Amino acid sequence: MIALYILLGIVALILLLLLIPVHLRASFVGSLRADVSYAFLKFKLYPKEKREKKEEQKKQEDKPAEKKEEQKEEKKEENILKKFYRNQGVDGVIQLVRDAAYSVRRLLHTLLIRHLIIHDLYLRIDVAGRHAAECAEKYGGVCGLVYPPVSYICSVCHVRKYDVSVSPDYLATFSSAEFYVNLSIRPLALLGAVIAFAFRLFFKVILKLIRSDPKGEEKTAVKDKKQVAPSSQKNQGGALS
């Protein structure tokens, strides 16, 4: 019984950790900043520290030459997509792309519409121009680019607070923009959506690539030989007769 209680406690702890939402915050006020926080942990995404950049450069310099040779050998091998195109033709490739796009669309639909929560969405754009006519023309173009997608996001996704404004500035010489966004999603929902996406992508895309017959040319050659064989026998028979 003690082992069962320990197991149930571990499962409950894992579920509790998966239910704690992950927050992504990004802002642009003169410079871009982005970070991810989970419970009491916080990770800085951008801008990265200089030490991390130096470590990445050292790792790239210290890579052995064996990896380059392996990459050359992989390039020599025929790509699986080329095999699929050779065996299935253009129609098969188009259907494969459609299945992959449908899987990605289902993943985005599950994540963005059902589980993603936008706590704060702030966007401000000041449009400037060399003269009033140019400023008004740019203002109309920016409004057409900004307001339709923002209205769609606010009508489809879970948005709690938002403030979006585009205004013309006839006195400024340069346009300016700033934004702040705070998103959250639960790891349990993300894990479920990714697993469903992986299964859908495997059965609809990867399995088709694996099942593509690389020996299709040999089968066609055998069929051609079978078709040619009877005609040659008839010619031989006519010569004998």
Side-chain angles (χ1 to χ4, degrees):
M1 290 296 292
I2 297 175
L4 181 61
Y5 289 148
I6 294 172
L7 182 62
L8 291 175
I10 293 171
V11 172
L13 180 61
I14 293 172
L15 287 176
L16 181 63
L17 293 175
L18 290 176
L19 289 174
I20 297 174
V22 178
H23 286 265
L24 172 63
R25 297 178 181 88
S27 63
F28 180 83
V29 183
S31 61
L32 181 63
R33 296 180 179 274
D35 60 77
V36 176
S37 61
Y38 175 72
F40 56 87
L41 301 175
K42 190 174 182 180
F43 305 96
K44 195 173 183 180
L45 297 179
Y46 190 88
K48 293 183 178 180
E49 296 181 357
K50 294 181 179 180
R51 293 179 181 178
E52 295 179 357
K53 291 181 180 179
K54 290 180 180 179
E55 289 178 358
E56 289 179 358
Q57 290 177 358
K58 288 181 180 179
K59 288 180 180 179
Q60 290 178 358
E61 290 176 357
D62 296 336
K63 284 182 179 178
E66 294 179 357
K67 291 185 178 180
K68 293 182 179 180
E69 294 178 357
E70 290 177 358
Q71 290 178 357
K72 289 180 180 179
E73 291 178 358
E74 289 177 356
K75 288 180 180 179
K76 291 179 181 179
E77 295 180 357
E78 190 176 3
N79 193 358
I80 190 171
L81 292 174
K82 290 182 179 180
K83 291 181 180 179
F84 184 82
Y85 171 74
R86 186 184 62 194
N87 298 317
Q88 302 296 329
V90 179
D91 295 335
V93 174
I94 292 173
Q95 186 62 37
L96 191 72
V97 172
R98 286 179 179 175
D99 293 336
Y102 176 77
S103 301
V104 174
R105 187 177 64 183
R106 290 292 300 173
L107 174 65
L108 295 176
H109 180 272
T110 303
L111 292 179
L112 297 179
I113 296 178
R114 294 184 180 180
H115 302 294
L116 186 68
I117 298 175
I118 302 175
H119 297 275
D120 298 294
L121 176 60
Y122 171 76
L123 175 63
R124 180 181 176 181
I125 301 175
D126 294 328
V127 183
R130 290 177 295 179
H131 46 79
E134 184 181 1
C135 182
E137 185 179 357
K138 287 183 178 180
Y139 170 71
V142 173
C143 288
L145 291 174
V146 172
Y147 284 116
V150 169
S151 62
Y152 176 76
I153 291 171
C154 293
S155 62
V156 172
C157 301
H158 299 284
V159 182
R160 294 182 176 176
K161 293 180 183 179
Y162 69 95
D163 184 12
V164 179
S165 64
V166 180
S167 58
D169 193 346
Y170 296 101
L171 300 177
T173 55
F174 298 99
S175 300
S176 61
E178 56 185 22
F179 75 88
Y180 172 75
V181 62
N182 180 12
L183 314 173
S184 71
I185 189 170
R186 298 183 188 276
L188 184 62
L190 180 62
L191 182 63
V194 170
I195 291 173
F197 169 74
F199 274 99
R200 191 179 294 110
L201 191 69
F202 176 77
F203 286 107
K204 290 191 174 183
V205 178
I206 298 175
L207 200 60
K208 288 183 179 179
L209 291 173
I210 295 173
R211 287 182 176 178
S212 61
D213 188 9
K215 298 180 181 180
E217 294 180 354
E218 294 179 5
K219 290 182 179 180
T220 53
V222 172
K223 289 181 181 179
D224 294 337
K225 287 181 181 179
K226 289 182 180 179
Q227 291 177 358
V228 172
S231 59
S232 61
Q233 288 177 1
K234 288 181 182 178
N235 291 331
Q236 290 175 0
L240 291 171
S241 60

